[in-house]
Amino acid sequence: GENVEQHPSTLSVQEGDSAVIKCTYSDSASNYFPWYKQELGKGPQLIIDIRSNVGEKKDQRIAVTLNKTAKHFSLHITETQPEDSAVYFCAGSFGNEKLTFGTGTRLTIIP
Amino acid sequence: DSGVTQTPKHLITATGQRVTLRCSPRSGDLSVYWYQQSLDQGLQFLIQYYNGEERAKGNILERFSAQQFPDLHSELNLSSLELGDSALYFCASTSGTGEKLFFGSGTQLSVL
């Protein structure tokens, strides 16, 4: 079925260190995997996405990797900054037109 | 600013009441999605409309309904409200492929 599991639920890292959030999915028909960042009082905002025919994608300090065989994908944030503190959601598109979201990771950057 | 407008930002009402949440999508976007966000269940898909037609349905209660009007704005109607309906309700829009959703700032519904 359409299920996305996300770990960890909370993550604290020192400013300047890297943060990694992982998601797994169960439906092999998944073909699109976006990551959203939600700041306090705001709606989720797309920060990066990857399609199933690509293994890795980078955009400045953030990157996403996808392992189709293992059915998991990860968000990597390097050189973390205080403004990276937020809730991050992974999601998957399972051949239909809706996104199924993970349960979110609250990332806290410690100055 | 995502370009998606949701009103009202906050809504406080009593059990048994009915409310309407409104969403204006980004200019040019034909698809509108509604999601419910509660503390313990993350973002739950409710329903999707495309150019006025219902396209997909998720875990939407029978007490809830939605529609998309000719000008593409959408409304989510919640009736016979219960305490458990208290949540953040988000609207998102996209050009139509189900990818790259742009979310509004949400409506915080509190049922007392």
Side-chain angles (χ1 to χ4, degrees), chain A residues 38, chain B residues 6 8-13 19 21 34-44 46 61 64 76 78 81-90 105-112:
Chain A
Q38 185 176 18
Chain B
Q6 286 189 250
K9 291 191 181 300
H10 303 278
L11 200 49
I12 301 174
T13 188
V19 297
L21 283 52
W34 287 97
Y35 281 84
Q36 179 192 58
Q37 185 176 41
S38 52
L39 285 175
D40 58 345
Q41 293 199 14
L43 282 159
Q44 298 292 316
L46 295 178
L61 300 172
F64 296 180
L76 179 67
L78 315 176
L81 285 168
E82 302 175 358
L83 296 177
D85 297 326
S86 295
L88 255 174
Y89 291 84
F90 285 106
S105 297
T107 293
Q108 177 69 61
L109 174 66
S110 299
V111 182
L112 306 178

Side-chain angles (χ1 to χ4, degrees), chain A residues 98, chain B residues 31-36 44-50 53-61 64-67 74-76 90-92:
Chain A
K98 70 178 182 73
Chain B
S31 270
V32 169
Y33 296 74
W34 287 97
Y35 281 84
Q36 179 192 58
Q44 298 292 316
F45 170 70
L46 295 178
I47 198 164
Q48 177 209 357
Y49 280 82
Y50 177 81
E53 301 282 332
E54 182 183 303
R55 183 64 69 96
K57 227 171 187 178
N59 300 321
I60 187 167
L61 300 172
F64 296 180
S65 64
Q67 53 183 329
S74 178
E75 292 181 356
L76 179 67
F90 285 106
C91 165

Side-chain angles (χ1 to χ4, degrees), chain A residues 31-32 34 36 38 41-46 49 51 57 87 89 93 96-104 106, chain B residues 31 33 35 37 41-43 45 48 50 55-58 88 90 96-106:
Chain A
N31 53 21
Y32 174 70
Y36 284 79
Q38 185 176 18
K42 298 184 179 180
Q45 178 185 12
L46 177 67
D49 56 9
R51 297 185 184 282
K57 184 176 179 180
V87 178
F89 291 95
S93 178
N96 49 31
E97 291 184 12
K98 70 178 182 73
L99 292 178
T100 298
F101 284 85
T103 48
R106 182 172 299 280
Chain B
S31 270
Y33 296 74
Y35 281 84
Q37 185 176 41
Q41 293 199 14
L43 282 159
F45 170 70
Q48 177 209 357
Y50 177 81
R55 183 64 69 96
K57 227 171 187 178
L88 255 174
F90 285 106
T97 62
E99 302 177 356
K100 300 189 188 298
L101 297 188
F102 291 85
F103 282 81
S105 297

Side-chain angles (χ1 to χ4, degrees), chain A residues 51-63:
Chain A
R51 297 185 184 282
S52 57
N53 58 349
V54 176
E56 183 176 7
K57 184 176 179 180
K58 287 184 180 179
D59 183 2
Q60 299 181 336
R61 294 187 299 108
I62 60 173

